[in-house]
């Protein structure tokens, strides 16, 4: 468990599966991450069971520190051990839990895990250009905008720009670079 002031990052548990399944099948949440594609229960069960055995991925839940209530998840995928790089993604499931700093804190904790435990040098993320709240949160967590892929995403019947953001391992500090 990785513990911060307000949230902790914990391993996925069997009891988390229904919430994650529902989040993946919520159209508005899916649109923040790409095109909506319903996930069936059998495909979800196979994917969920495979998470721990995939050496190119680390996925953990985000929980409130005070009561361990499930808030969402954060993951690093496409971990490349030679390039020491990966791609980060995050989801805060309930609208009432957004805008309270939980996501930013989870991103900072996960970046510290990337530097100190996974020995990564670079973490990339992709965000829709029409999601300024997310771009701002990622920037505050230590990511820097590196470019924009024009009309590279297709969401809800329209093309959107994809903003590429990256964070590099801080030199000699071992901590998270400030945005």
């Amino acid at each position: 468990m990785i513990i911060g002031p307000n949230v902790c990052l914990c391993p996925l548990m069997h009891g988390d599966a229904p919430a994650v399944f529902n989040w993946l099948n919520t159209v508005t949440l899916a649109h923040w991450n790409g095109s909506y594609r319903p996930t069936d229960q059998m495909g979800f069960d196979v994917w969920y069971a495979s998470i721990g055995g995939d050496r190119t991925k680390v996925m953990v839940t985000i929980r409130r520190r005070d009561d361990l209530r499930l808030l969402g998840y954060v993951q690093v995928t496409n971990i490349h051990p030679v390039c020491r790089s990966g791609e980060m993604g995050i989801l805060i499931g309930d609208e009432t839990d957004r805008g309270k700093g939980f996501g930013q804190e989870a991103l900072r904790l996960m970046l510290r895990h990337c530097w100190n435990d996974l020995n990564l040098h670079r973490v990339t993320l992709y965000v829709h250009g029409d999601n300024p709240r997310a771009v701002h949160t990622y920037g505050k967590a230590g990511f820097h905008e590196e470019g924009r892929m024009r009309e590279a995403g297709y969401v809800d019947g329209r093309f959107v720009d994809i903003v590429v953001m990256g964070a590099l391992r801080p030199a000699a500090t071992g901590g998270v670079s400030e945005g």
Side-chain angles (χ1 to χ4, degrees):
M1 192 176 327
I2 302 169
I3 301 172
N6 301 299
V7 302
C8 54
L9 304 183
C10 307
L12 284 163
M13 298 185 296
H14 291 293
D16 299 329
V20 175
F21 179 77
N22 287 334
W23 293 335
L24 293 176
N25 282 297
T26 302
V27 175
T28 53
L29 287 175
H31 281 169
W32 291 121
N33 295 316
S35 299
Y36 173 66
R37 172 182 261 168
T39 302
D40 64 72
Q41 186 69 55
M42 289 189 326
F44 173 81
D45 290 344
V46 170
W47 169 78
Y48 199 78
S50 73
I51 291 171
D54 186 345
R55 305 285 299 158
T56 68
K57 177 187 293 186
V58 174
M59 183 174 180
V60 294
T61 59
I62 304 165
R63 297 183 183 278
R64 283 176 45 121
R65 181 177 174 177
D66 58 357
D67 61 8
L68 297 181
R69 183 170 60 82
L70 182 63
L71 301 169
Y73 62 82
V74 61
Q75 62 183 345
V76 180
T77 60
N78 298 321
I79 296 172
H80 193 288
V82 174
C83 296
R84 294 177 45 210
S85 63
E87 296 175 15
M88 191 175 290
I90 187 170
L91 181 138
I92 301 293
D94 191 323
E95 177 66 36
T96 62
D97 292 324
R98 294 184 208 131
K100 296 182 177 176
F102 297 138
Q104 185 183 132
E105 184 177 335
L107 288 165
R108 286 177 177 273
L109 291 171
M110 194 61 156
L111 275 177
R112 188 175 315 136
H113 178 61
C114 288
W115 309 148
N116 297 342
D117 301 312
L118 301 178
N119 197 29
L120 297 184
H121 175 72
R122 174 186 176 73
V123 177
T124 303
L125 63 79
Y126 302 93
V127 60
H128 293 167
D130 63 350
N131 189 351
R133 187 162 89 177
V135 171
H136 176 75
T137 297
Y138 295 139
K140 296 280 283 180
F143 287 87
H144 299 275
E145 187 170 330
E146 296 180 334
R148 180 176 293 263
M149 299 184 297
R150 296 176 302 131
E151 298 184 4
Y154 187 75
V155 177
D156 201 20
R158 64 187 178 83
F159 288 96
V160 296
D161 291 354
I162 302 294
V163 177
V164 180
M165 300 184 79
L168 298 176
R169 179 188 200 125
T173 66
V176 176
S177 61
E178 297 299 321

